[in-house]
Amino acid sequence: MQRDMKQWLRAMIDSDKKKTMPVLSFPAVQLMDVSVKELISDSTMQARGMKLIADRVDSAASVSLMDLSVEAECFGAEISVSEDEVPTVVGSVVSSLEEAQALQVPQVGAGRTGIYLDAMKKAVELITDRPVFAGIIGPFSLAGRLADVTEIMIYCYEEPDMVHTILEKATQFLIDYAKAYKETGANGIVMAEPLAGLLSPDLAEEFSAPYVKRVVDAVQSDQFAVIYHNCGNSTIRTIDSILSTGSAAYHFGNAISMQEMLPLIPRDTVVMGNIDPAGEFRNGTPESIRKATLELMEDCCPQYPNFVVSSGCDIPPMSKWENIDAYFAAVAEYYAR
């Protein structure tokens, strides 16, 4: 369903009682009694999982699978798939400038991107009471999965031309992929750029922000919002380059303090975060996640009306639903006061 997403974000800031927007999709495997391997391979199952979650929780929006292997797989990367963990990339496909120059940009729809696009088409038909966002990877994070996430940090210094060559091709693909999501009827994308969270301010300015901005400029509109996600620990130091991307909203992980981040963000821009996905959603208790959620909201909500509580990153597949339910109950408890 088409929506005015600028108005949606403004209304979120203006509301005295804000709905939370965690990155919540993979725990649908428990509701459907299926494996992660089955979920990532079936568009109908993905859409049904998103719908089941939307019916269960009072979230501000629905977010599709945050699978940061799917785009790299299209470029030829090998992935490791398990029954109950999010897929990961194994090894690299580029290790020299010559290989970067020879790297072919895949067609959108190749590999599992066709499954994920089809899932979004089905999801937007099923979920009509809130915006629906697609999850995609960011340019530098994709480049890192093609060149190895450790090695690319060295390449930024020693082989910058190679890194820029990979980034050009990654960005071209991501623009086309985001446009394809836009055509499905999605209301926006959550773009995950976590690897940039390990960069220095100068490197982030060179190797991440301008490429993210190109994606944002190509697809963002009044009806289609880009939410930038970065769960790295350098985001406070790189916030100027992050804001230069022009994204509609920003989402940060639990590696940083939201109390330190919020003063750096314009008051008319929505900022989301950052309850620990592993420590609380996956391995916490209903009591511990209630405490963490209420403390974060008490610290941030009164002073910053543009703050929306969320998970710090994608909630792991086997996170206990009693913890997820307790998180939503804590949000409701805070606003009921």
Side-chain angles (χ1 to χ4, degrees):
M1 177 187 295
Q2 193 173 76
R3 299 172 185 269
D4 185 332
M5 296 306 291
K6 282 190 174 181
Q7 175 57 35
W8 178 75
L9 289 165
R10 284 194 299 269
M12 188 177 285
I13 293 173
D14 293 340
S15 175
D16 292 331
K17 297 183 178 181
K18 306 179 201 306
K19 294 187 178 184
T20 177
M21 186 180 160
V23 185
L24 173 60
S25 54
F26 271 107
V29 294
Q30 299 175 64
L31 301 178
M32 296 188 289
D33 194 24
V34 299
S35 68
V36 169
K37 187 174 183 179
E38 290 173 304
L39 185 66
I40 66 170
S41 306
D42 189 306
S43 64
T44 299
M45 200 175 288
Q46 289 178 29
R48 178 170 167 253
M50 292 173 67
K51 173 62 173 171
L52 285 172
I53 289 175
D55 288 345
R56 180 169 179 138
V57 302
D58 190 23
S59 60
S62 173
V63 183
S64 74
L65 299 185
M66 189 59 74
D67 178 354
L68 304 189
S69 71
V70 65
E71 297 92 346
E73 186 182 26
C74 281
F75 278 88
E78 179 185 352
I79 67 165
S80 173
V81 180
S82 68
E83 295 298 308
D84 58 7
E85 296 292 340
V86 177
T88 56
V89 173
V90 179
S92 67
V93 296
V94 182
S95 59
S96 69
L97 177 59
E98 292 73 25
E99 289 177 350
Q101 291 169 336
L103 187 68
Q104 296 295 307
V105 179
Q107 292 291 315
V108 169
R112 286 180 294 123
T113 59
I115 295 173
Y116 282 43
L117 288 165
D118 191 46
M120 184 53 57
K121 287 181 183 176
K122 295 172 179 176
V124 296
E125 292 178 357
L126 293 173
I127 304 166
T128 59
D129 63 341
R130 69 198 75 181
V132 181
F133 284 84
I136 74 167
I137 198 170
F140 185 73
S141 299
L142 175 53
R145 281 157 178 78
L146 299 178
D148 185 89
V149 294
T150 302
E151 292 298 323
I152 199 167
M153 299 299 175
I154 300 170
Y155 294 147
C156 286
Y157 291 102
E158 298 182 353
E159 300 285 348
D161 289 346
M162 182 185 87
V163 178
H164 282 297
T165 300
I166 301 170
L167 280 165
E168 286 290 337
K169 296 182 178 185
T171 302
Q172 179 184 335
F173 175 78
L174 291 174
I175 287 172
D176 292 341
Y177 192 30
K179 285 181 176 178
Y181 270 125
K182 194 173 185 177
E183 291 174 2
T184 67
N187 301 111
I189 54 174
V190 178
M191 182 192 299
E193 183 72 320
L195 198 57
L198 302 178
L199 295 174
S200 69
D202 286 346
L203 291 180
E205 182 69 45
E206 179 177 359
F207 293 106
S208 177
Y211 295 99
V212 171
K213 188 177 190 306
R214 281 167 52 180
V215 180
V216 173
D217 290 347
V219 299
Q220 188 160 268
S221 67
D222 288 357
Q223 288 77 39
F224 194 84
V226 177
I227 298 177
Y228 174 97
H229 165 78
N230 189 328
C231 51
N233 60 11
S234 73
T235 50
I236 291 176
R237 294 189 296 117
T238 59
I239 189 58
D240 289 344
S241 69
I242 290 172
L243 292 175
S244 76
T245 65
S247 302
Y250 298 90
H251 190 283
F252 297 107
N254 57 289
I256 56 102
S257 162
M258 289 305 303
Q259 294 96 315
E260 294 178 19
M261 177 61 86
L262 282 162
L264 307 177
I265 311 291
R267 292 298 187 104
D268 62 352
T269 301
V270 170
V271 188
M272 306 182 193
N274 65 347
I275 300 298
D276 188 344
E280 291 297 345
F281 284 100
R282 177 68 177 87
N283 298 312
T285 64
E287 293 76 19
S288 72
I289 199 167
R290 173 184 176 272
K291 181 174 183 289
T293 303
L294 290 174
E295 285 180 353
L296 179 62
M297 296 181 75
E298 287 161 359
D299 287 342
C300 298
C301 292
Q303 192 174 356
Y304 299 100
N306 58 328
F307 172 68
V308 174
V309 68
S310 179
S311 57
C313 195
D314 189 29
I315 297 176
M318 302 313 293
S319 299
K320 304 178 189 71
W321 268 99
E322 63 180 1
N323 291 347
I324 298 170
D325 291 338
Y327 165 79
F328 278 91
V331 175
E333 178 184 342
Y334 175 85
Y335 285 122
R337 293 177 178 178

